[in-house]
Amino acid sequence: MAANTKPVLHGYFRSSCSWRVRIAFALKGIEYDQVTVNLIKDGGQQEFQSVNPMQQVPAVEIDGITLCQSLAVIQYVDETRPGAKLLPADPKKRAQVRMISDLIASGIQPLQNLYVIQKIGADKVQWSQHFIDRGFKALEPILKQTAGKYCVGDEISMADICLVPQVYNAERFKVNMDQYPTIKRLNQTLLEIEAFKVSHPSNQPDTPADMSA
Amino acid sequence: MAANTKPVLHGYFRSSCSWRVRIAFALKGIEYDQVTVNLIKDGGQQEFQSVNPMQQVPAVEIDGITLCQSLAVIQYVDETRPGAKLLPADPKKRAQVRMISDLIASGIQPLQNLYVIQKIGADKVQWSQHFIDRGFKALEPILKQTAGKYCVGDEISMADICLVPQVYNAERFKVNMDQYPTIKRLNQTLLEIEAFKVSHPSNQPDTPADMSA
């Protein structure tokens, strides 16, 4: 695949990790093709096995390689494509962006994803609330220190790309967001931005008709 | 804190994420002080709350800021300190290093950590085996494509730093490593390297006497 071929995103409208990649592509102005994958549907897992043996979305075919793991994809396009920078130039700010991103990507999201909840057989809402609350209780004081208009200072970064889909999940699981005024304020600001709107789960090719905006 | 003050690592001998940071510091030749944190012990959590509200090790005080999340710490020292580079210069290889690191850091480790297992009340060994096997089944074919002498080509990287502590956990939970010949081979090669030896859980200030090497 030539470097100038459009990347192909294998994703799912409601997957928060797929949404991260869609936001990044929108912020950088990267055109891409979407292949929608329904991992819950019968047969969805088998079909997708060859693309990502981890059987998780997103997976992105880009520049002749297949990348899984949303943060690896986001940093790859940031390092190889022009446009808005998704990581700040200052090393301390970069570290804070990565800390916030990883707190969400390693500390919250894996514990409230559908596969895990099904495996546990726990109450979906109660379990997810517990782990989102645990993470947001840690995130709120960090963001109080790092945030300006956005998560780290006044430039949109990978941290913001991780925050908004996680808040979307929190709202699905009825987490009381009034406990987290900084997170809530940042999320509201970010949702006004075009790249976050066009990439929203309610606006995707595989969004069911009754959920479309 | 001045930039030339030694960093302080708040960690725990057996925490695989703390071990990642110890390996990185050793590979880069960074001297540091260790504060040992026992999150299981009564009171350990309260004492540590002010350092990391997420109540997870590691946390690192460095250059006047406190960083949590091991991969953020590793990339910060890589970007600000001389010595061996922990991420390759080539963007595709960097992306593969991050993909492998995140597959472990987001896709495996969070699901087999002690807090989560206690919360589930599941059988510790069975649960951990399930999630480590799921991750290693995805990691093995990826490494078959990317590995040379080490995880990505012939240079040690952040991917190797993540791999060895995860294999250590796999062995604790009696995962059959013969299923993963590439992972097993890489782990054996890496364990011969001085930076992986000095940072090993069996050689830390808080290692119990009956576990010391």
Side-chain angles (χ1 to χ4, degrees):
Chain A
M1 188 195 290
N4 56 0
T5 307
K6 273 199 263 181
V8 178
L9 167 63
H10 300 257
Y12 180 59
F13 77 102
R14 194 143 65 183
S15 141
S16 59
C17 303
S18 301
W19 190 8
R20 290 178 199 152
V21 172
R22 295 194 303 259
I23 299 168
F25 282 180
L27 285 169
K28 306 267 317 171
I30 298 170
E31 290 190 26
Y32 62 101
D33 290 321
Q34 273 203 63
V35 176
T36 62
V37 180
N38 188 342
L39 290 171
I40 301 161
K41 199 187 62 179
D42 272 354
Q45 297 206 343
Q46 273 97 330
E47 286 167 32
F48 190 54
Q49 174 77 33
S50 61
V51 180
N52 181 6
M54 192 70 172
Q55 300 191 331
Q56 289 180 335
V57 286
V60 175
E61 297 174 61
I62 186 165
D63 300 345
I65 56 173
T66 301
L67 290 176
C68 312
Q69 301 298 328
S70 58
L71 303 191
V73 172
I74 292 167
Q75 291 177 86
Y76 177 72
V77 297
D78 204 36
E79 289 176 357
T80 58
R81 263 62 177 178
K85 294 307 284 180
L86 305 179
L87 273 89
D90 175 67
K92 284 186 191 174
K93 286 193 175 171
R94 290 165 77 82
Q96 288 170 330
V97 165
R98 290 198 179 110
M99 171 173 65
I100 293 162
S101 302
D102 286 345
L103 194 157
I104 294 168
S106 296
I108 305 177
Q109 193 281 332
L111 295 162
Q112 51 93 80
N113 100 11
L114 193 61
Y115 175 84
V116 173
I117 296 171
Q118 285 176 339
K119 166 80 185 160
I120 299 162
D123 180 84
K124 197 164 88 171
V125 172
Q126 198 183 8
W127 175 269
S128 300
Q129 276 183 356
H130 173 83
F131 280 101
I132 295 171
D133 271 321
R134 183 180 75 132
F136 279 5
K137 279 192 181 108
L139 192 55
E140 176 71 19
I142 290 171
L143 288 173
K144 250 185 210 155
Q145 289 193 2
T146 61
K149 189 170 175 191
Y150 304 117
C151 284
V152 177
D154 295 325
E155 305 294 331
I156 293 181
S157 72
M158 183 166 71
D160 302 294
I161 291 173
C162 292
L163 186 74
V164 169
Q166 188 58 62
V167 174
Y168 175 79
N169 283 351
E171 288 172 345
R172 278 179 65 206
F173 293 121
K174 316 246 180 274
V175 169
N176 174 9
M177 289 303 300
D178 291 335
Q179 303 171 85
Y180 314 111
T182 312
I183 297 176
K184 194 174 166 180
R185 189 256 301 169
L186 291 165
N187 183 61
Q188 283 169 343
T189 304
L190 289 159
L191 280 176
E192 295 301 313
I193 295 165
E194 189 61 20
F196 290 78
K197 285 184 189 171
V198 294
S199 59
H200 194 279
S202 63
N203 289 327
Q204 299 314 304
D206 55 337
T207 308
D210 60 357
M211 278 191 55
S212 298
Chain B
M1 189 195 289
N4 56 358
T5 306
K6 273 199 263 182
V8 178
L9 167 63
H10 300 258
Y12 180 59
F13 76 101
R14 194 141 66 183
S15 141
S16 61
C17 303
S18 301
W19 189 8
R20 289 179 199 153
V21 173
R22 295 195 302 260
I23 299 168
F25 282 0
L27 285 169
K28 306 266 320 169
I30 297 170
E31 290 190 25
Y32 62 102
D33 290 321
Q34 273 204 62
V35 176
T36 62
V37 180
N38 188 341
L39 290 171
I40 300 160
K41 200 187 62 181
D42 272 356
Q45 296 205 344
Q46 274 97 332
E47 286 166 32
F48 190 55
Q49 173 78 35
S50 61
V51 180
N52 181 6
M54 192 69 172
Q55 299 192 332
Q56 289 179 335
V57 287
V60 175
E61 297 174 62
I62 186 166
D63 302 346
I65 56 173
T66 301
L67 290 177
C68 313
Q69 300 296 329
S70 58
L71 303 190
V73 172
I74 292 167
Q75 291 177 86
Y76 177 72
V77 297
D78 203 37
E79 290 177 357
T80 58
R81 264 62 177 177
K85 295 306 285 180
L86 305 179
L87 273 90
D90 175 68
K92 283 186 192 174
K93 286 193 175 171
R94 292 166 74 83
Q96 288 169 331
V97 166
R98 290 196 179 110
M99 170 174 66
I100 293 163
S101 302
D102 285 345
L103 193 157
I104 295 169
S106 296
I108 305 177
Q109 193 283 331
L111 295 162
Q112 52 94 83
N113 102 8
L114 193 60
Y115 175 85
V116 173
I117 296 171
Q118 285 177 339
K119 165 80 184 159
I120 299 162
D123 179 82
K124 198 162 88 169
V125 172
Q126 198 183 11
W127 176 268
S128 300
Q129 277 183 357
H130 173 83
F131 280 102
I132 295 171
D133 272 322
R134 182 181 75 133
F136 279 6
K137 279 192 181 110
L139 192 55
E140 176 71 19
I142 290 172
L143 288 172
K144 249 183 210 155
Q145 290 193 1
T146 62
K149 189 170 177 191
Y150 304 117
C151 283
V152 177
D154 295 325
E155 305 294 330
I156 294 180
S157 72
M158 183 166 71
D160 302 294
I161 291 174
C162 293
L163 186 74
V164 170
Q166 188 58 61
V167 174
Y168 175 80
N169 283 351
E171 288 172 346
R172 278 180 66 206
F173 293 121
K174 315 245 179 274
V175 169
N176 175 10
M177 289 304 299
D178 291 336
Q179 301 171 87
Y180 315 110
T182 313
I183 297 176
K184 195 174 165 179
R185 188 257 302 168
L186 291 165
N187 183 60
Q188 283 168 345
T189 303
L190 290 159
L191 280 176
E192 295 300 312
I193 294 165
E194 189 60 20
F196 290 78
K197 285 184 189 170
V198 296
S199 59
H200 195 278
S202 62
N203 289 326
Q204 298 314 303
D206 54 338
T207 309
D210 61 356
M211 278 192 54
S212 298

